[in-house]
Amino acid sequence: MLGIATVAQSCSDDDKNEGPAGFGTVTGTVTDEFDAPLAGVTVATDESEVTATTDELGAFTLKNISIGSHIITFSKANYQTASVTVYAKKFNDEKVATIKATMEYAAAKIRGIVTDSKAGGAPLAGATVSISASRSVTTGADGSYEIDNLPIKDYTVTFAKEGYTSVSRNLGMDMFVDGTATLNVAMGSTELLRGLTKDDLISADKWFFNEYRGGRNADAYPHWDWACNYMCTLDFAGTWEEQNEGTTLQIRNSSDDQRNNPANLEIFDSFVYGSKLITPDNHTMTLSLRTHSASDDAPVYYGVQVVDLSAAEPKATLIGGVKTLNSEPYVNREFDLSAYDGKEVIIAIGIFRQQSGDYWKQLVLRTIRFTANSIGDDLWSWLPGTPVEGLSGWQMTMEMVRSTMPHTKKSFTGMCEIGGNRDNYFPGYREWREKNHVAANWSFMPLQKDPEVFPSEGYLIKTKGGDATVSTTLPQAYFYAKFAIAEGSNRLTLTTRNFSSSNPTFFKMTAITEDGTLKHLSPVENTAQMAEAAADGCWKFIHESGDKSHPDDYAKFVYDLSEFNGKNVMITIGIFKGEANGDENKLVFRAIDLN
């Protein structure tokens, strides 16, 4: 069954009910979303014997229509079905009603196979696959399904069958290839975390880095400023909120159905989760936490669960038991993950419902940090460890270099369709998840200066103005991520620009191997208006062209990484105050591509 797009018409009750008596004619035109005439559209009424087909001008005529209320439907292959309601009052004195309809091109398909985990992965027939309340299909004997005549956009696809846990999957526009998106699902698996089975967790977001910061308050600017804290780009389940104090896990409590949920100290009510490679360099996890509205008699109940998907029968293992907290000031709580050294596991941090009924608690996460050893009560410092030789003051440690996970993505954007500011950044940050945004996928190190998050030209990092200290060895800010360098992914292109014709931007690309060897890289080619080598491996450039409407006008800096083939390499991109001037200098991230 096709979904129907209704074209609304505003009428009063009198407009609907008054009109001439007898039979009349409905005439009109049909266009596509670009207002071009649409031929070959089948036009039908709820008086099923009356139909017509639009001509090359998109025009149609329906004769002998009883004068009254009718739903006129418009259908054509590869277009979303539309409808228009005609009321008696729409008929004029000549008994003619004139209408217009618009149809959206919708030739995309979602297809796949549903299998039964209870039956060894056999096809599962009779499962209902839905994308909306009015649009669903049922899997066949071979477990296959197909939903067609769709516009290409984001969907939430739900799979349901009696006796099985329902499964929902988010399907983004980027999953459509030549108009078709393939989504295969296994049903019947045991829930390991609330609402998530092994099949769900296999594709969990990866926690590539060893520090995640949340909240708006700049307790230690710029490290802890809102523009530098991106914990809310992680994957959460349940009820949660970005607050001044941190990213906050909450008990679901907004409806009677939620309040009727039973107390449960084994399954999280709300949680954040991701997949993390645990090594001796990062097997101590420290959470900086606080609460709201908790007390000695009514603390928050929370914990950490680990799921080892490589186990014969994976399960959620609670680390250190159920914890309680009632502190308004931030405190550190430490969790030993050394039992999982050498394994990539799912880590979930969550809040438990301790009571049924009207029960409301919040656990505020200010930071999630992974280190080799205990950091004690230290709340605001950079990650401790052995500094990388040659990067004095960078706050980059050998433990970070070795234990950062190689990235699975190769292309990143700095563009954001949703803007924001300190008080309204959440929707923009969440959009980054779907766009492979650099700030959600690389780790940002604001050593001396915060970034500009939402400029239309792309995310940008910058230097201080005024009398900022000049240095070509210590960056004001930088990004880093690790990549497995190999044929087909050993050529990095930075698409960028700056904003001054007189003060060049100084930046540096640095590669660090896992043994601590570092090399400052020079581009093998660039398209900047002015670019040249500067001191200490920096490059300086001027290029003021490029914006959302002119993506080809940005400068491109291309780097050859083939000398690192076969190695995992940390790549850093930093901005430097390379010379004294009164301005901030800026480095735009339009895109980063590894190919």
Side-chain angles (χ1 to χ4, degrees):
M1 176 182 176
L2 295 179
I4 296 178
T6 301
V7 180
Q9 299 194 4
S10 176
C11 300
S12 68
D13 289 340
D14 288 343
D15 289 339
K16 296 175 183 179
N17 296 324
E18 294 180 5
F23 291 84
T25 299
V26 177
T27 186
T29 56
V30 182
T31 59
D32 63 17
E33 63 264 48
F34 304 106
D35 208 32
L38 201 56
V41 177
T42 299
V43 186
T45 73
D46 45 14
E47 296 179 344
S48 58
E49 70 278 5
V50 183
T51 62
T53 303
T54 59
D55 60 20
E56 66 276 7
L57 299 178
F60 68 91
T61 299
L62 295 166
K63 297 182 178 180
N64 298 318
I65 304 296
S66 60
I67 294 176
S69 297
H70 296 284
I71 297 175
I72 313 297
T73 60
F74 304 86
S75 58
K76 178 180 172 68
N78 296 333
Y79 285 81
Q80 190 170 12
T81 299
S83 70
V84 174
T85 300
V86 177
Y87 300 105
K89 187 64 175 179
K90 290 291 293 182
F91 291 84
N92 60 22
D93 292 341
E94 286 73 38
K95 300 184 179 181
V96 175
T98 302
I99 61 176
K100 180 178 179 180
T102 300
M103 300 182 69
E104 182 180 6
Y105 185 72
K109 301 176 182 178
I110 301 173
R111 59 172 54 159
I113 296 175
V114 180
T115 54
D116 188 348
S117 295
K118 298 179 181 179
L124 183 62
T128 300
V129 186
S130 307
I131 58 171
S132 69
S134 61
R135 198 73 203 276
S136 64
V137 296
T138 302
T139 57
D142 61 354
S144 67
Y145 70 92
E146 182 176 293
I147 306 174
D148 58 9
N149 289 91
L150 300 175
I152 294 179
K153 63 178 185 178
D154 295 339
Y155 292 93
T156 297
V157 187
T158 302
F159 302 81
K161 183 176 172 69
E162 186 175 355
Y164 292 77
T165 299
S166 296
V167 175
S168 291
R169 292 285 186 273
N170 293 325
L171 190 152
M173 293 175 60
D174 59 347
M175 292 182 65
F176 287 91
V177 178
D178 295 330
T180 299
T182 301
L183 187 58
N184 300 324
V185 165
M187 298 185 68
S189 299
T190 302
E191 283 190 358
L192 300 176
L193 298 170
R194 188 178 56 77
L196 299 173
T197 67
K198 177 179 179 180
D199 297 295
D200 299 313
L201 295 177
I202 286 173
S203 58
D205 288 355
K206 293 185 183 296
W207 289 0
F208 295 104
F209 309 106
N210 287 350
E211 181 178 64
Y212 295 93
R213 307 180 295 267
R216 296 186 178 96
N217 287 345
D219 297 273
Y221 174 87
H223 189 191
W224 298 95
D225 184 63
W226 73 274
C228 308
N229 297 347
Y230 305 138
M231 189 189 295
C232 70
T233 65
L234 300 180
D235 205 356
F236 289 79
T239 300
W240 62 285
E241 183 179 38
E242 187 73 358
Q243 298 182 355
N244 287 340
E245 296 84 1
T247 311
T248 306
L249 298 170
Q250 303 171 345
I251 295 296
R252 296 171 297 154
N253 198 52
S254 62
S255 66
D256 288 340
D257 287 344
Q258 292 180 350
R259 293 178 185 130
N260 289 332
N261 287 334
N264 195 322
L265 294 181
E266 295 182 354
I267 299 175
F268 291 140
D269 201 73
S270 299
F271 55 97
V272 58
Y273 68 101
S275 184
K276 180 73 174 171
L277 176 62
I278 305 301
T279 77
D281 287 319
N282 66 7
H283 59 199
T284 301
M285 183 177 74
T286 302
L287 308 179
S288 296
L289 306 166
R290 60 163 292 173
T291 61
H292 293 302
S293 304
S295 65
D296 290 341
D297 295 332
V300 167
Y301 290 75
Y302 74 99
V304 171
Q305 293 183 336
V306 174
V307 181
D308 180 2
L309 296 179
S310 68
E313 295 185 8
K315 62 180 181 179
T317 300
L318 189 65
I319 305 299
V322 175
K323 307 290 186 181
T324 60
L325 186 69
N326 64 349
S327 177
E328 294 289 327
Y330 296 106
V331 295
N332 282 349
R333 291 292 181 264
E334 192 174 287
F335 296 84
D336 181 7
L337 304 177
S338 61
Y340 300 98
D341 279 353
K343 290 186 175 183
E344 185 174 340
V345 295
I346 302 297
I347 298 174
I349 303 162
I351 185 171
F352 293 106
R353 172 179 280 275
Q354 193 268 338
Q355 299 176 18
S356 60
D358 189 3
Y359 177 73
W360 170 245
K361 295 295 176 186
Q362 301 183 73
L363 179 71
V364 182
L365 286 170
R366 188 59 159 142
T367 181
I368 305 170
R369 288 179 283 182
F370 297 88
T371 54
N373 304 302
S374 174
I375 62 175
D377 296 328
D378 187 349
L379 291 171
W380 307 117
S381 296
W382 296 94
L383 294 180
T386 305
V388 175
E389 187 175 351
L391 298 182
S392 177
W394 285 49
Q395 308 299 340
M396 173 73 71
T397 71
M398 284 303 304
E399 290 81 0
M400 293 160 62
V401 171
R402 289 190 295 260
S403 63
T404 293
M405 298 166 64
H407 222 297
T408 55
K409 300 173 183 176
K410 304 299 181 184
S411 294
F412 310 91
T413 182
M415 305 299 288
C416 186
E417 296 300 321
I418 300 175
N421 53 47
R422 184 191 183 281
D423 298 317
N424 186 35
Y425 62 83
F426 178 81
Y429 284 16
R430 292 302 288 175
E431 187 205 23
W432 292 355
R433 287 177 51 82
E434 313 303 325
K435 303 292 186 181
N436 288 348
H437 195 283
V438 62
N441 285 275
W442 291 52
S443 189
F444 181 50
M445 301 287 281
L447 298 182
Q448 300 179 59
K449 185 62 176 172
D450 61 341
E452 290 184 23
V453 181
F454 295 119
S456 60
E457 296 85 0
Y459 182 102
L460 64 86
I461 60 178
K462 58 187 179 179
T463 68
K464 293 181 177 179
D467 59 354
T469 302
V470 172
S471 176
T472 51
T473 60
L474 181 63
Q476 301 255 304
Y478 68 95
F479 274 112
Y480 74 88
K482 184 190 280 187
F483 298 93
I485 306 301
E487 290 293 336
S489 58
N490 59 12
R491 188 176 175 88
L492 188 148
T493 301
L494 170 65
T495 304
T496 185
R497 62 163 291 172
N498 73 351
F499 297 93
S500 175
S501 60
S502 57
N503 293 321
T505 292
F506 286 70
F507 76 104
K508 187 185 299 185
M509 185 92 63
T510 302
I512 313 167
T513 59
E514 290 181 333
D515 64 0
T517 301
L518 65 90
K519 181 177 181 179
H520 303 306
L521 305 174
S522 294
V524 294
E525 58 184 82
N526 74 85
T527 61
Q529 294 162 3
M530 187 284 291
E532 61 184 44
D536 301 309
C538 285
W539 274 67
K540 64 178 183 179
F541 80 101
I542 290 173
H543 189 94
E544 294 186 277
S545 299
D547 56 41
K548 186 178 295 186
S549 301
H550 301 88
D552 295 331
D553 291 349
Y554 289 83
K556 292 184 182 294
F557 287 84
V558 180
Y559 296 83
D560 181 4
L561 305 178
S562 60
E563 65 182 284
F564 303 108
N565 281 0
K567 296 181 179 180
N568 293 332
V569 178
M570 188 86 88
I571 300 294
T572 72
I573 307 174
I575 188 166
F576 296 75
K577 190 71 173 180
E579 58 187 26
N581 58 61
D583 295 332
E584 294 180 336
N585 299 114
K586 301 178 180 181
L587 178 70
V588 171
F589 288 87
R590 173 64 173 82
I592 302 173
D593 296 287
L594 197 65
N595 49 44

